[in-house]
Amino acid sequence: GDSVTQMEGPVTLSEEAFLTINCTYTATGYPSLFWYVQYPGEGLQLLLKATKADDKGSNKGFEATYRKETTSFHLEKGSVQVSDSAVYFCALRNSGNTPLVFGKGTRLSVIA
Amino acid sequence: DAGVIQSPRHEVTEMGQEVTLRCKPISGHNSLFWYRQTMMRGLELLIYFNNNVPIDDSGMPEDRFSAKMPNASFSTLKIQPSEPRDSAVYFCASSTTGGESQPQHFGDGTRLSIL
């Protein structure tokens, strides 16, 4: 079945450091790919998405490019802030009638 | 626009009591999902509905758990009787069935503590 694998956390970075969170997927067909963010005490929020190969999703300084050849969707940000501390989930959806398939999440802590 | 609304936000109750969690999806969304999140097991899909019909309840842990969606704007997740191991954050999410590009929108969750 479909699956998503994320790098294990926690990831701890200093403010203004470069962030990469790796995500790879296994799926039949041509899924859409998503990154969600969960701040402490809150629900998951959509951060960005990409719906076809070579698409780049971006939001709030975060970016991820849909790489079909490597089945990857790595999340990047050039300069992280303390306020980016959260748990990040990579996910895919293969059909409009089925749920998203989530990775296990990666906890990011940014220290000043 | 109102997002997914869950109630209560927090629930503390004693073992053996019945617990009912409520969810109002985003208007116009026709898929609804219930998740449970714990430190040990992460985010687990419990059940989902399309057009108010339960499609897959294979994630429901035991017969003590049940979920209903009597209409397009309301769903409940019930635990009876509750046990301490049911303590978790329960999330409801909704989406349209407009294709695989549609994201799921999550509520803020219900933090459930069973004593």
Side-chain angles (χ1 to χ4, degrees):
Chain A
D2 298 344
S3 67
V4 174
T5 302
Q6 289 181 236
M7 63 187 287
E8 298 224 3
V11 174
T12 302
L13 295 174
S14 298
E15 210 165 21
E16 299 184 2
F18 185 86
L19 169 71
T20 300
I21 300 178
N22 290 338
C23 171
T24 57
Y25 68 90
T26 301
T28 57
Y30 302 97
S32 289
L33 303 174
F34 305 83
W35 276 101
Y36 281 77
V37 59
Q38 184 179 28
Y39 299 105
E42 299 184 11
L44 280 70
Q45 303 173 24
L46 179 66
L47 181 59
L48 54 84
K49 72 176 186 180
T51 59
K52 61 183 188 294
D54 300 324
D55 263 4
K56 177 185 284 188
S58 61
N59 186 23
K60 300 181 181 180
F62 291 89
E63 294 182 340
T65 301
Y66 190 141
R67 300 286 187 202
K68 187 168 180 294
E69 64 277 12
T70 54
T71 61
S72 65
F73 192 54
H74 304 322
L75 183 68
E76 296 182 336
K77 187 175 185 184
S79 176
V80 294
Q81 305 300 311
V82 172
S83 57
D84 294 325
S85 297
V87 180
Y88 293 82
F89 291 89
C90 186
L92 69 83
R93 194 171 200 183
N94 225 338
S95 160
N97 292 323
T98 58
L100 267 69
V101 176
F102 284 93
K104 295 189 175 184
T106 302
R107 183 175 300 276
L108 169 67
S109 294
V110 181
I111 52 178
Chain B
D1 286 345
V4 175
I5 299 172
Q6 291 188 245
S7 64
R9 287 297 313 274
H10 302 274
E11 173 93 9
V12 180
T13 192
E14 291 190 346
M15 182 175 67
Q17 297 298 306
E18 178 178 289
V19 173
T20 300
L21 311 181
R22 296 172 176 81
C23 175
K24 177 178 169 56
I26 293 173
S27 178
H29 283 190
N30 47 7
S31 290
L32 184 138
F33 311 85
W34 282 102
Y35 290 86
R36 178 171 70 176
Q37 187 177 41
T38 60
M39 290 293 291
M40 289 293 293
R41 301 165 83 102
L43 190 67
E44 302 173 276
L45 176 66
L46 301 177
I47 185 172
Y48 77 97
F49 298 81
N50 284 343
N51 297 311
N52 312 338
V53 176
I55 302 302
D56 185 355
D57 65 355
S58 60
M60 297 285 261
E62 301 172 33
D63 291 346
R64 299 183 295 106
F65 286 70
S66 63
K68 294 183 179 179
M69 192 163 187
N71 57 61
S73 58
F74 183 66
S75 176
T76 59
L77 178 68
K78 190 170 291 189
I79 309 172
Q80 167 63 19
S82 58
E83 297 183 5
R85 61 194 164 120
D86 302 331
S87 298
V89 182
Y90 291 80
F91 289 104
C92 176
S94 70
S95 76
T96 66
T97 54
E100 73 283 353
S101 67
Q102 297 304 311
Q104 291 175 196
H105 300 263
F106 283 75
D108 286 334
T110 295
R111 185 173 296 275
L112 177 63
S113 297
I114 308 297
L115 306 177

